[in-house]
Amino acid sequence: EEVESLCLKIAEEIVLSRLDFDFIVGVNRGGIIPLGYLSYFLDNRNTRIIDVSLYGDDDEPDISHEKIQIERK
């Protein structure tokens, strides 16, 4: 319930900002549920998921994603 409520607040702020997005990005391993809520609340079914992995003592994350360009409309 808390995640849903927080996502609804974020969606309301996005709507009030009048920003328009082609798709919504979620981070795998924790961000898929919020991605689903935001997609539903914003009526935007175009979603992308990125993977971020941290293994061992390396401070640099391994980020896997498809190449995307993000710009304001």
Side-chain angles (χ1 to χ4, degrees), residues 26-37:
V27 178
N28 203 4
R29 303 208 40 155
I32 304 303
I33 300 298
L35 173 66
Y37 281 126

Side-chain angles (χ1 to χ4, degrees), residues 35-66:
L35 173 66
Y37 281 126
L38 289 171
S39 173
Y40 177 78
F41 293 146
L42 296 171
D43 194 29
N44 184 337
R45 302 299 188 258
N46 296 318
T47 60
R48 304 291 187 272
I49 298 171
I50 61 171
D51 291 316
V52 178
S53 301
L54 295 173
Y55 293 102
D57 296 329
D58 190 3
D59 288 339
E60 293 295 320
D62 175 23
I63 300 175
S64 303
H65 59 84
E66 61 182 274

